[in-house]
Structures are given as structure tokens and as C-alpha cells.
Amino acid sequence: MKVSRQIARRPGLALASLLLIPAALAEPSAQRQAQLEHLLQQDCGSCHGLRMTGGLGPALTLDALAGKPRQSLIATVTHGRPGTAMPGWKALLDEQDVAWLVDLLLEGYPKP
Ligand code: HEC
């Protein structure tokens, strides 16, 4: 109540919060993207292979992921796969991070 009255009195504030919404859906910062790529190689790569061609974990190449729904891959990275070696990453990665990593894989990583 109090907040909405404040917003009504200060239209600038409402506009500012609208402008923040697209920012929240945007990609991670360039610095965060570099960190995520490092994590993909060092941590994910320790199981999935430095070039994502598989190891203890399955390959995560373009071919290997073909036809797999983006949402289910996001769920796997977020929560892991209970009963397998695949850990969940939600303590380290937020939704935007996970989505960015999955998109990187779905575009084919590493790029030829
Ligand atoms: C300790 C080993 C290990 C690490 C570290 C690991 N994974 Fe996995 N991952 C696995 C295993 C094993 C599976 C297969 C689980 C199963 O049998 O369903 C898997 C499955 C997956 C899948 C689903 C693949 C498919 O074909 O459905 C994705 C996507 C994935 N991992 C991404 C990642 C990402 C991204 C990271 C790093 C943030 C990561 N993994 C780190 C072991 C690992």
C-alpha cells in the first residue's frame, strides 16, 4: 500500500523499475561470461571433457545435445541428476548464468 502510493506520487520511480526489468533478463556481464566459460572448461570439463566430448559425464557437443529441450538441460544443470555424478549448480550459478551456459552449449561449444 505504502509503496504503491509512493510510486504513484513519484512516476519517475515506477518508470525506473520498468526499465530495470529488461536488465534483469539480459545476459550476464562480459566479466561474468568470462568466469562462466572458465567454469565450463575447468569444472564441467573435468567430467564432460575439456572439449565437451565426454568423460565421466556424457558429451555436451552440438550433436549430443541435438533435440534435447533447453528447459530440461537448464533443470539438469540447476538441480543435478540425483543418483548420478551430475551435481546441481544452483549454489554457484543463478538462473541467468545457467541459461547462458546452456545456450552456449546449444550453440556448439567450443566453437570450431
Ligand atoms: C562430477 C562430474 C560432473 C560435473 C562436474 C558436471 N557434470 Fe554434467 N553430468 C554428469 C553426468 C554423470 C551426467 C549424466 C547424468 C545421467 O546419467 O543422466 C551429466 C549430465 C549433464 C547434462 C545433461 C546431458 C544430457 O544429455 O541430457 C548437462 C546439460 C550437463 N551435465 C551440464 C553440466 C554443466 C554445464 C556442468 C558445469 C556447470 C556440469 N555438467 C558438471 C557429470 C558431471
Side-chain angles (χ1 to χ4, degrees):
M1 245 327 218
K2 201 172 172 202
V3 173
S4 62
R5 248 185 282 132
Q6 268 175 358
I7 290 174
R9 255 188 285 131
R10 296 177 57 191
L13 200 66
L15 184 64
S17 57
L18 276 180
L19 292 174
L20 287 174
I21 294 169
L25 296 174
E27 292 193 320
S29 67
Q31 191 195 0
R32 184 63 177 159
Q33 289 185 15
Q35 288 172 349
L36 292 171
E37 198 170 336
H38 185 78
L39 176 102
L40 184 65
Q41 290 176 345
Q42 300 304 314
D43 295 66
C44 316
S46 69
C47 284
H48 292 282
L50 199 58
R51 301 187 62 81
M52 307 301 137
T53 49
L56 172 62
L60 301 176
T61 55
L62 201 54
D63 287 349
L65 296 180
K68 302 211 167 164
R70 179 175 185 264
Q71 278 314 318
S72 86
L73 298 173
I74 288 176
T76 295
V77 177
T78 306
H79 305 291
R81 291 249 177 97
T84 78
M86 176 61 187
W89 292 86
K90 64 170 180 277
L92 288 175
L93 304 176
D94 66 20
E95 276 175 56
Q96 187 181 293
D97 292 339
V98 172
W100 187 82
L101 274 177
V102 165
D103 288 341
L104 195 67
L105 292 168
L106 287 174
E107 284 162 16
Y109 186 88
K111 299 236 185 276

